Amino acid sequence: MSLTTLCHLRHQMSLQRWRAAMDTYLTLNRGQFRYTKSTIYTPVYKNPLTIENSRRKYSVKSNQRSLSQINHALKANEYSLKANAYDGRYNGAVKGFDSNILPSNSPSEDRRSAATCLQSRGMLFGVFDGHAGSACAQAVSERLFYYIALSLLPSRTLMEIEAAVERERPVLPVLQWHKHPNDYVSTDSGKLYFSSLRTYWQERIDLQEDEDYDTQGALRNAFKRLDNDISLEAQADIGVALAHFTPLRVALSGCTACVAYVDQDDLYIANLGDSRAVLGVQEDDGRWSAFTITNDHNAQNKEEMQRVLSEHPACERKTVVKHDRLLGLLIPFRAFGDMKFKWSGELLNRIYEARPELLIGNENAKMLPANYHTPPYLTAEPEITHHKLRPQDKFLILATDGLWELMHRQTVVEILGEHLSGIEWKKPVSGMYFTVGQMHRLLQERKRRALSALEDENGATHLIRHTLGSDSSGTIEHNRIAKMLSLPEDLARMYRDDITIIVIHFNSSA
């Protein structure tokens, strides 16, 4: 048995409990929920037709979403772009990309970003999974790509940008964003963010870094510098009422990040936390295989566990990681923000005393963690991997853990690979020669696929549809999706997390 097969089986076994709970709900509960208020939050499953918890008692009432309603919900946030469909510099390796977000939290704590680096040949893609709110994920999704783009520029170009700003002339653009209209853009701290970014490029100019500055170093510095700026912005003038509400909120929340930078046939992945980057590889015999580029930064990763333990005294070995969580609280061992795990105890106490109104509603920030002796316990230094793209590398999937918790990477790649192969049947056949029999078979296949109401042009949407609606045999069930989408907001989180996916399609000649 291969290692991939063994991992696949192990993952399937870990999904059994989730599958059993979901199947019980989907089989025995039909339709829409009514609820009445209650008080205690511990879930209690009393009988197949009701689910009780602290705040709600749910009962079932017959109702079904139509196919059009399902499609509207699944496609509300989908976005697709072909490489020749925008006025930016073309990247020969990237054919295009699809992305989508399906929230579970309200509002969603996930974010996504995609942009073209206008002063180079590269394209940037990222998924960001927030926790303790969406503030950090929002800030990082808006800011990180600027730090990366500027880190990749030579000093000469940075000097041109600084001269334009100093003389109040138009600034050389560095990014072209590819955003869905629903992607929120914050305007509260624009001046502060620009000031921090300008200080960063000024320091790079002063250091006179040469033009062969390596890409991996640029990515690492961009991640660490942004996290440092988030920390400094939150500390500035903390005694001034309401002066820095947003920066402090960003600093006390957190997010993981998985970023891909594609420059011709060079693929770089910079990762913090437990989102993943997985390549879809098509073998010579046509079969699909998953090649995982990233490692999860959590207690399941023995090397990561050893790294965390080695950074603190031996007397803390039993308290640094408890119940597979950092200090018994945080699952990812690397993240942006989360200054509660990075600042000194003295600084945290001073902020809590000076700005108690900012901690209202944030239970996790109201006190120091237990056994908080030798901070920082958390880092924003990414693990960076370089991969040379090959002709068999057909696509890259970036996704938050909301996808990987419910579906094994090999299954994900097979579903998407087969879907993309099926799209080939839709291409025009003009200029091609067929026998009568070949044309008949082609038309029959197209008719069969046209009758499928579940066909998606967006690969990310297709994966989300399968994640919610596939049964144990992989068949899509319309009723299954309808019921999962009908879960009330405060119950949906018990069954799944926010799901954010970006699928990057590569040219075969890459």
Side-chain angles (χ1 to χ4, degrees):
M1 182 181 294
S2 69
L3 179 61
T4 299
T5 302
L6 181 61
C7 291
H8 193 173
L9 290 174
R10 188 174 299 165
H11 182 84
Q12 292 299 328
M13 291 176 66
S14 70
L15 289 180
Q16 286 179 358
R17 292 176 63 191
W18 179 86
R19 290 285 188 188
M22 189 176 72
D23 287 342
T24 298
Y25 160 70
L26 294 177
T27 302
L28 299 174
N29 295 298
R30 297 195 168 112
Q32 190 175 1
F33 292 87
R34 295 175 300 176
Y35 55 84
T36 57
K37 290 188 177 180
S38 185
T39 53
I40 304 171
Y41 185 63
T42 306
V44 179
Y45 297 87
K46 298 186 70 174
N47 63 62
L49 296 180
T50 63
I51 300 176
E52 294 185 2
N53 67 24
S54 74
R55 300 165 188 157
R56 303 286 186 268
K57 179 180 179 181
Y58 302 94
S59 58
V60 183
K61 194 174 184 179
S62 178
N63 184 38
Q64 281 294 335
R65 289 194 179 201
S66 66
L67 180 59
S68 62
Q69 289 173 321
I70 290 176
N71 285 335
H72 176 76
L74 294 181
K75 298 184 178 186
N77 297 309
E78 72 174 8
Y79 183 86
S80 296
L81 186 75
K82 303 302 180 185
N84 59 354
Y86 63 90
D87 186 20
R89 181 169 296 186
Y90 174 71
N91 185 304
V94 177
K95 184 188 301 183
F97 75 92
D98 303 319
S99 71
N100 204 345
I101 295 179
L102 184 68
S104 172
N105 295 289
S106 182
S108 172
E109 293 180 334
D110 278 9
R111 295 293 187 272
R112 61 182 166 181
S113 293
T116 301
C117 298
L118 295 177
Q119 304 307 317
S120 70
R121 297 169 298 178
M123 293 187 73
L124 285 163
F125 307 90
V127 294
F128 310 94
D129 187 351
H131 45 265
S134 61
C136 187
Q138 180 64 42
V140 172
S141 70
E142 294 180 6
R143 304 177 67 184
L144 179 58
F145 285 9
Y146 283 112
Y147 281 75
I148 293 174
L150 291 173
S151 297
L152 293 167
L153 293 179
S155 299
R156 181 184 66 256
T157 305
L158 295 177
M159 292 173 67
E160 293 174 0
I161 293 174
E162 173 61 22
V165 173
E166 185 68 26
R167 297 168 186 171
E168 298 184 352
R169 294 179 179 176
V171 177
L172 190 68
V174 295
L175 290 175
Q176 180 173 2
W177 292 94
H178 310 301
K179 289 183 176 289
H180 187 281
N182 290 349
D183 290 345
Y184 176 73
V185 178
S186 172
T187 59
D188 296 340
S189 302
K191 291 183 178 179
L192 176 64
Y193 291 171
F194 179 80
S195 176
S196 296
L197 186 66
R198 185 181 183 187
T199 300
Y200 176 49
W201 81 57
Q202 288 173 336
E203 291 178 6
R204 282 209 57 216
I205 292 172
D206 293 340
L207 290 174
Q208 290 294 312
E209 294 168 329
D210 53 34
E211 296 189 12
D212 60 356
Y213 190 57
D214 71 288
T215 301
Q216 295 193 38
L219 290 167
R220 184 173 293 106
N221 285 350
F223 272 64
K224 294 171 68 176
R225 179 53 182 254
L226 174 56
D227 195 61
N228 183 69
D229 284 350
I230 288 172
S231 174
L232 293 177
E233 291 161 3
Q235 295 177 51
D237 299 327
I238 61 173
V240 180
L242 300 180
H244 291 281
F245 177 83
T246 299
L248 188 54
R249 184 172 56 184
V250 169
L252 292 177
S253 60
C255 79
T256 65
C258 188
V259 171
Y261 174 65
V262 189
D263 184 1
Q264 296 299 311
D265 60 353
D266 289 303
L267 170 64
Y268 297 89
I269 303 293
N271 185 52
L272 297 175
D274 50 12
S275 294
R276 292 179 188 170
V278 176
L279 268 176
V281 181
Q282 190 169 33
E283 307 296 349
D284 292 339
D285 60 3
R287 291 184 300 176
W288 293 93
S289 62
F291 177 64
T292 304
I293 300 179
T294 55
N295 298 305
D296 292 350
H297 299 134
N298 55 32
Q300 309 309 313
N301 182 337
K302 293 182 178 179
E303 292 183 2
E304 186 70 4
M305 184 79 165
Q306 185 56 42
R307 178 192 67 79
V308 172
L309 294 175
S310 69
E311 294 176 353
H312 302 277
C315 61
E316 292 189 63
R317 290 187 67 86
K318 294 184 178 180
T319 59
V320 171
V321 178
K322 294 182 64 177
H323 310 300
D324 289 343
R325 294 171 179 254
L326 198 64
L327 296 177
L329 297 171
L330 191 65
I331 292 178
F333 289 175
R334 305 192 194 196
F336 281 105
D338 286 317
M339 296 303 162
K340 179 183 177 180
F341 299 91
K342 297 174 182 176
W343 285 340
S344 69
E346 293 78 10
L347 177 57
L348 285 169
N349 282 327
R350 183 160 61 92
I351 290 178
Y352 296 162
E353 292 171 1
R355 303 297 301 279
E357 76 280 4
L358 299 182
L359 306 180
I360 297 174
N362 188 350
E363 297 293 332
N364 292 328
K366 288 189 176 180
M367 62 184 70
L368 289 178
N371 303 300
Y372 195 79
H373 306 301
T374 56
Y377 290 91
L378 189 68
T379 182
E381 180 167 350
E383 184 175 13
I384 300 174
T385 306
H386 173 241
H387 176 79
K388 205 76 171 178
L389 290 172
R390 308 160 298 175
Q392 61 264 41
D393 299 330
K394 301 302 182 182
F395 54 82
L396 176 72
I397 302 168
L398 302 180
T400 55
D401 62 348
L403 172 67
W404 310 116
E405 287 174 351
L406 304 183
M407 193 176 291
H408 189 270
R409 60 186 180 275
Q410 179 63 28
T411 305
V412 169
V413 167
E414 289 175 354
I415 288 172
L416 184 58
E418 292 170 3
H419 172 66
L420 295 176
S421 299
I423 289 178
E424 296 296 319
W425 289 86
K426 294 182 176 181
K427 291 185 176 180
V429 296
S430 59
M432 302 176 66
Y433 296 96
F434 295 91
T435 64
V436 174
Q438 289 173 330
M439 179 61 72
H440 177 73
R441 286 193 295 273
L442 175 64
L443 292 176
Q444 287 294 106
E445 177 63 20
R446 290 197 169 188
K447 180 180 179 181
R448 183 184 69 81
R449 292 179 180 273
L451 291 174
S452 171
L454 302 180
E455 195 73 32
D456 298 301
E457 294 184 4
N458 183 295
T461 304
H462 189 70
L463 287 176
I464 292 175
R465 192 186 297 274
H466 271 265
T467 302
L468 297 187
S470 61
D471 60 16
S472 57
S473 66
T475 303
I476 293 289
E477 294 185 1
H478 169 87
N479 291 342
R480 193 183 192 92
I481 303 174
K483 291 169 183 176
M484 288 300 292
L485 292 176
S486 298
L487 287 168
E489 292 177 355
D490 53 350
L491 183 61
R493 188 62 182 84
M494 295 172 60
Y495 287 88
R496 64 173 181 83
D497 197 356
D498 299 328
I499 300 175
T500 299
I501 303 172
I502 299 178
V503 178
I504 304 154
H505 305 280
F506 297 123
N507 286 310
S508 297
S509 59

